[in-house]
Amino acid sequence: MKKHLLISALGSVLLLSSCGSNKVPVVTDEQPVTESPSLTTNFNVVTTAPEAATTAELSTYVAAETTAAESAPAEAAEQVTEAPTTEAPTTAPPEKIVWDSGGVLMMTFPDSWKDRFVLANEKAYCKKSWDNQEGSGLLFSIVHKNINELPLGENISTLIGMSGDQFVFACRPSDVQYDPTNAEETAEYQALAADLPSIFAGARGSSTPNTPSVDLSGYKTVFNYFESASVPSFWQTYTDWGGYSEPSLRFVNNSDVTYNTGSAVYNGKIMFSGGSTEPYTNGIMFIDSSAYIFSFQQTEPHGIGLTCVMGGDVLPQKSLFQTE
């Protein structure tokens, strides 16, 4: 008979905060923690076994190795007794740590992360850094904003997906979040950080569970007055009769865009890909509840192409040409 062992785990996590008087301060852009943040408890460690499909809060399901020896019973004296059969041991499938962030996103962490990170207020921290100084060791934050709240000032790493009418982003810190004088803490933080691209790639927004996330590493909003995006301002559709007409696309400034279908006008926000040097040749625009990657053709006839990567495609024409 197969046996499965249900082991309840994770339970309450006791976080210890300690900071010696001679500890080098951790450089961080987070506000000082004045009280213990609310730790996230809505994640589960589950196996990939079918019987572990139903998950209980903070429960670990471990498929035990099973060795079942079943012998055919002697039903009658004259019956030939069959040799005992032994079922080969089965290996438990790898554990996966699944985070359901309040219906905003689903994110899966590798089993190697077990007991090595802390989730609090939609932020993930390196536990070794947290244990040395509570609030330090920030690995990433989850930010969700609607179109009117964009663009973001955070250091965006990935567009994870949509949650209702909100865009869900993973943002990584731009400064050092661990004690660089502590070799063990530094190694641990960097090891976890190295896994983040693959973790973000597998994350999904609650409203877009089948849509891949979009890597936005290096994308930025051009805020600086001395930094011009150098983007042609007006683009139109080339018609069959050789003229230009609606739909049209206009870059209002370095962070705003307007798309006119002829019967409806959509206002959106943009971010550009690349560093601080010009020219910018591609980026992402957020219009309505959709996201489009755009790229410029630098040579004649100077076109712009749009590709919907998130949400419903609301733009009827995605190849336009420069007219100004």
Side-chain angles (χ1 to χ4, degrees):
M1 179 179 298
K2 294 183 179 180
K3 299 181 180 178
H4 297 277
L5 178 60
L6 174 63
I7 305 176
S8 176
L10 297 182
S12 301
V13 179
L14 177 61
L15 298 175
L16 301 180
S17 172
S18 60
C19 180
S21 59
N22 59 347
K23 180 175 177 64
V24 177
V26 174
V27 180
T28 175
D29 60 355
E30 295 290 303
Q31 295 296 322
V33 177
T34 56
E35 57 181 17
S36 297
S38 174
L39 299 184
T40 299
T41 59
N42 54 339
F43 66 94
N44 307 289
V45 180
V46 300
T47 67
T48 56
E51 57 268 27
T54 57
T55 59
E57 188 173 26
L58 289 175
S59 296
T60 303
Y61 292 83
V62 179
E65 292 187 0
T66 305
T67 303
E70 298 179 355
S71 301
E75 296 181 352
E78 66 274 14
Q79 183 177 2
V80 178
T81 303
E82 296 181 3
T85 59
T86 303
E87 183 176 322
T90 59
T91 303
E95 294 177 344
K96 296 294 182 183
I97 307 169
V98 180
W99 178 29
D100 179 1
S101 177
V104 173
L105 61 85
M106 291 291 291
M107 183 177 287
T108 301
F109 300 88
D111 59 329
S112 60
W113 276 49
K114 186 178 180 182
D115 300 325
R116 297 172 63 193
F117 74 112
V118 174
L119 289 174
N121 302 324
E122 294 191 312
K123 297 180 180 181
Y125 299 83
C126 170
K127 188 175 186 298
K128 187 172 291 292
S129 299
W130 177 285
D131 288 345
N132 289 337
Q133 181 176 330
E134 186 174 304
S136 65
L138 177 66
L139 290 163
F140 67 89
S141 305
I142 296 300
V143 179
H144 34 99
K145 303 288 185 181
N146 60 40
I147 189 69
N148 297 321
E149 297 172 309
L150 297 176
L152 299 174
E154 288 86 351
N155 187 26
I156 297 177
S157 175
T158 304
L159 170 60
I160 291 177
M162 302 288 298
S163 176
D165 65 347
Q166 293 186 321
F167 297 96
V168 182
F169 302 92
C171 301
R172 297 182 62 174
S174 57
D175 56 353
V176 178
Q177 294 289 318
Y178 53 86
D179 182 357
T181 66
N182 186 322
E184 186 177 357
E185 180 181 332
T186 298
E188 175 71 351
Y189 181 97
Q190 293 178 347
L192 295 178
D195 290 335
L196 292 181
S198 61
I199 292 174
F200 294 161
R204 297 292 183 268
S206 60
S207 298
T208 51
N210 299 317
T211 303
S213 57
V214 182
D215 183 10
L216 296 182
S217 301
Y219 281 67
K220 60 182 294 186
T221 301
V222 183
F223 288 117
N224 196 309
Y225 175 80
F226 299 102
E227 231 173 24
S228 172
S230 295
V231 177
S233 61
F234 194 55
W235 309 78
Q236 284 187 301
T237 302
Y238 187 73
T239 65
D240 294 337
W241 57 87
Y244 294 94
S245 182
E246 308 296 349
S248 64
L249 180 71
R250 181 180 294 277
F251 289 92
V252 181
N253 51 46
N254 291 338
S255 62
D256 296 287
V257 64
T258 296
Y259 188 100
N260 189 342
T261 68
S263 59
V265 176
Y266 296 97
N267 296 311
K269 300 292 184 179
I270 53 177
M271 296 179 64
F272 296 95
S273 175
S276 58
T277 59
E278 301 177 36
Y280 292 96
T281 60
N282 56 78
I284 186 169
M285 63 176 62
F286 303 95
I287 292 182
D288 198 43
S289 294
S290 305
Y292 295 82
I293 293 292
F294 62 86
S295 58
F296 306 123
Q297 182 177 325
Q298 299 300 304
T299 58
E300 293 288 347
H302 299 296
I304 183 173
L306 310 176
T307 302
C308 184
V309 294
M310 193 71 63
D313 188 356
V314 297
L315 305 184
Q317 178 63 34
K318 287 173 282 295
S319 293
L320 302 101
F321 298 91
Q322 179 183 351
T323 56
E324 287 185 2

